[in-house]
Amino acid sequence: MIKEEFYEFCPRCQAILNMQRGYHSDLPYWICRGCGEMLINPKIDTDIVWICDECSDMLNLQEGFSEDCGVWKCQKCGHPNTIDAANIFATEDEYQTAEANPYMGLSDKDIMDLMSYVEMGSLADREDVILLEGPDGRNYVKKILTRFDAKIYRHLMDHPVEGMPRIHRVYENKDYLIVIEDFIWGRTIEEALEEGTFAQEKAAQIIRDLSLILTRLHQMDQPIIHRDIKPSNVMLDNKHRVFLLDINAAKYYKEECRDTHFAGTPFFASPEQLGFGFQASSQKTDIYGLGMLLNYMVTGDTCKNVEAAGDLWPIIERCTRLEAKERFSDQEFLQAIEKFTR
């Protein structure tokens, strides 16, 4: 037990600092667990704490640091930090508010570019998906992402895939990726299912077209695995064309890079996506998603609960086998689904 005479209190909320895990009086600064206030050790002769954006080390204490250096390379982790008065915050609350701002850290050019689009309102009641009117009068979608692989978005911006919304702009800061892409007029499979399930032949035709889009991703010089095939990520436009949406969970295929974190959507994600590190997501991960989606479209449920009837079930069953090596390849699946739709 801590003796009363050694109690140290937060001047803002009066929390006992000694009782907060990790605290000790020699730390250069401490963020109170009670109120979030940053407390600077009085032994340090400064009113401003400069913290490395990468490792959170206090830059003031690093030899040679000065507040007019412009950019300081952290001596602990090597991260280059911009030393700018615009990054000074009076309180921890003010800092956290800024951290939650997806536009924080973007260049003036990027901000001006984003301002050329007029926000028309959110889509699907999501604050991170916004309908825009562009300077050319066309409609676009702005997505504010916290989970992403920026390299994949930039690659698809430079190498658009037929059957996916074209990506026009990508803006990145430390925590967010802002993407501007085409707006597709239509409705998702999820929205269509509100009116009832699909006839088997119609569902198979949609899944066939979707498999062609996925094959284009899989056949890139560095294959891309979508990893999130589900009703809300497949859209039918006003001409009944099929579009594949959202690549938040996508990754490049590398056999040696096994999945160690869950990615995807429960009930539609394959066993290898659970993140146990047994194997990497591959083209056959998306084949699993196709099978699960196809069953859902014709039954309104997953094949764990309700199996599709007739000749469609053997196709779905092979798509959704636990062992990836036992599933269809892209070409095998296309042949099977085309044979069904004839």
Side-chain angles (χ1 to χ4, degrees):
M1 180 175 290
I2 303 174
K3 294 181 179 179
E4 184 176 357
E5 59 265 34
F6 293 113
Y7 279 177
E8 295 184 58
F9 296 91
C10 172
R12 179 180 181 184
C13 70
Q14 296 302 304
I16 302 175
L17 300 177
N18 312 65
M19 301 294 289
Q20 296 180 7
R21 180 175 296 181
Y23 175 83
H24 61 81
S25 58
D26 293 331
L27 289 170
Y29 71 92
W30 180 254
I31 297 175
C32 176
R33 308 289 194 209
C35 64
E37 184 77 0
M38 174 180 279
L39 308 173
I40 302 175
N41 193 320
K43 298 177 183 178
I44 298 175
D45 185 21
T46 183
D47 294 325
I48 299 173
V49 171
W50 292 97
I51 301 172
C52 176
D53 292 333
E54 186 68 23
C55 70
S56 299
D57 197 52
M58 186 170 173
L59 303 179
N60 308 56
L61 302 181
Q62 296 181 6
E63 185 176 355
F65 176 83
S66 67
E67 294 185 357
D68 58 359
C69 63
V71 175
W72 180 258
K73 186 175 181 180
C74 177
Q75 295 174 359
K76 181 177 180 180
C77 69
H79 180 76
N81 295 273
T82 301
I83 309 302
D84 186 341
N87 296 329
I88 297 175
F89 303 97
T91 66
E92 181 66 15
D93 288 342
E94 186 179 308
Y95 169 71
Q96 293 298 338
T97 299
E99 283 290 286
N101 179 359
Y103 307 103
M104 184 71 180
L106 296 182
S107 68
D108 291 342
K109 179 180 180 302
D110 287 347
I111 295 295
M112 292 298 294
D113 194 20
L114 282 164
M115 289 177 64
S116 68
Y117 296 87
V118 178
E119 294 192 0
M120 310 294 289
S122 62
L123 293 172
D125 295 322
R126 291 179 52 180
E127 294 182 355
D128 57 346
V129 183
I130 302 161
L131 177 64
L132 305 176
E133 181 180 312
D136 56 359
R138 295 175 55 204
N139 286 120
Y140 297 88
V141 174
K142 175 169 69 175
K143 296 181 177 179
I144 302 172
L145 308 174
T146 55
R147 185 185 68 171
F148 54 85
D149 184 333
K151 292 180 181 178
I152 288 180
Y153 279 90
R154 290 196 170 92
H155 182 79
L156 292 178
M157 181 172 65
D158 295 334
H159 304 87
V161 172
E162 182 182 353
M164 298 182 70
R166 180 157 190 167
I167 298 171
H168 295 275
R169 297 283 189 276
V170 174
Y171 310 92
E172 184 180 10
N173 65 13
K174 184 166 66 76
D175 298 308
Y176 295 92
L177 191 75
I178 300 174
V179 177
I180 306 295
E181 63 181 38
D182 282 338
F183 173 69
I184 308 298
W185 290 94
R187 61 178 182 169
T188 65
I189 296 297
E190 183 178 57
E191 291 168 333
L193 282 169
E194 293 176 1
E195 299 176 4
T197 56
F198 287 77
Q200 286 198 2
E201 186 168 341
K202 178 61 176 177
Q205 290 171 349
I206 292 171
I207 292 296
R208 177 199 60 198
D209 292 347
L210 183 58
S211 74
L212 291 173
I213 300 170
L214 287 167
T215 299
R216 295 178 193 122
L217 284 175
H218 297 165
Q219 291 181 346
M220 288 186 147
D221 291 340
Q222 190 170 359
I224 295 174
I225 314 303
H226 187 277
R227 299 203 299 172
D228 203 13
I229 309 300
K230 60 182 179 180
S232 61
N233 279 348
V234 182
M235 176 167 279
L236 305 176
D237 75 356
N238 295 339
K239 297 180 180 179
H240 306 290
R241 295 176 299 184
V242 178
F243 284 85
L244 176 62
L245 312 178
D246 287 346
I247 53 173
N248 303 13
K251 67 176 289 188
Y252 286 116
Y253 171 64
K254 293 181 181 179
E255 185 176 0
E256 67 277 12
C257 294
R258 300 180 177 184
D259 290 16
T260 56
H261 301 284
F262 176 78
T265 300
F267 304 113
F268 292 94
S270 66
E272 57 267 27
Q273 290 175 257
L274 295 178
F276 296 131
F278 295 131
Q279 57 185 311
S281 291
S282 68
Q283 293 89 337
K284 294 191 175 185
T285 298
D286 287 340
I287 292 293
Y288 185 98
L290 286 175
M292 294 297 287
L293 177 60
L294 179 54
N295 194 88
Y296 197 85
M297 290 173 69
V298 300
T299 70
D301 208 336
T302 68
C303 57
K304 307 294 184 184
N305 299 323
V306 181
E307 296 177 0
D311 294 338
L312 199 58
W313 173 246
I315 298 174
I316 295 171
E317 187 278 329
R318 185 171 172 188
C319 287
T320 56
R321 290 180 182 176
L322 294 180
E323 291 291 337
K325 63 183 179 182
E326 296 179 3
R327 301 174 204 151
F328 290 115
S329 66
D330 286 334
Q331 190 59 38
E332 288 171 339
F333 177 77
L334 184 59
Q335 290 173 353
I337 204 70
E338 285 185 337
K339 182 178 179 180
F340 179 85
T341 56
R342 285 177 190 152

